[in-house]
Amino acid sequence: MQILGMPVGLVILDVDGVILDVLKVLRQNLEEAASCLGMTLAPIAASLEQIAQGTMRIKGNAHDSTRMIWPELDDEQVNRYVDCFHRIERMRTYDPIEGSLEMISFFRMHRVHVALATNNPKDALESRFVTAGIDPAWFVAVVTRDNTYYKP
């Protein structure tokens, strides 16, 4: 297969925002996790607004993102928040973005290998795959934050 006149044998995709529609329920998941731990919600709205305006970038993983939203938290508080957030994510899952699964199928049909690189932990990714109807066998490689080398 060729794209823009160049042969393509492999595409590497992210999961959040490319395959799964994270934005649809992300704020609700963030706020519910914060409420469970008695944390203030205002920093979530402010951070998401700054991200939408392009004045703040999302950090690479849940721990870094939590520190970005609440810089005053210590490591134990960050870990508790992230654990709670991941539990909530397993209950309120993310749907595939319209056309994303068809795009993966298209590449595979044209013998283009598909790989994933994500900052999600492996167990969270596996849970997302199940609820979104994604077969891990579709991918020649999956790199999560649990790997030695992972997505920057």
Side-chain angles (χ1 to χ4, degrees):
M1 173 177 197
Q2 290 193 346
I3 297 178
L4 299 174
M6 299 192 63
V8 175
L10 170 71
V11 293
I12 303 172
L13 304 174
D14 191 0
V15 177
D16 298 341
V18 175
I19 298 173
L20 298 180
D21 191 359
V22 173
L23 292 180
K24 191 161 89 175
V25 294
L26 177 64
R27 182 175 182 161
Q28 189 177 0
N29 289 350
L30 291 168
E31 289 178 348
E32 187 171 331
S35 293
C36 288
L37 300 173
M39 298 164 65
T40 59
L41 304 183
I44 295 170
S47 295
L48 292 176
E49 181 62 29
Q50 290 175 320
I51 291 166
Q53 292 173 356
T55 58
M56 179 185 282
R57 290 189 45 143
I58 296 174
K59 298 291 184 174
N61 61 53
H63 290 82
D64 291 342
S65 294
T66 301
R67 285 185 184 93
M68 177 185 72
I69 296 170
W70 295 281
E72 70 279 4
L73 297 182
D74 63 32
D75 287 347
E76 182 182 330
Q77 292 169 311
V78 168
N79 289 335
R80 283 197 339 255
Y81 178 82
V82 169
D83 289 344
C84 184
F85 176 75
H86 286 308
R87 279 194 305 276
I88 290 165
E89 275 192 317
R90 286 176 186 81
M91 294 182 296
R92 189 179 302 112
T93 59
Y94 305 112
D95 295 328
I97 292 174
E98 186 175 337
S100 65
L101 302 185
E102 293 82 0
M103 172 190 63
I104 294 167
S105 178
F106 174 83
F107 284 130
R108 294 180 70 237
M109 222 170 41
H110 286 86
R111 292 186 165 76
V112 175
H113 298 289
V114 182
L116 294 179
T118 180
N119 283 318
N120 289 300
K122 184 179 180 191
D123 62 335
L125 184 63
E126 289 170 350
S127 174
R128 289 178 181 191
F129 278 179
V130 169
T131 59
I134 297 171
D135 183 350
W138 295 349
F139 310 101
V140 295
V142 176
V143 177
T144 69
R145 77 164 190 201
D146 300 317
N147 294 97
T148 302
Y149 301 104
Y150 56 92
K151 180 183 146 192

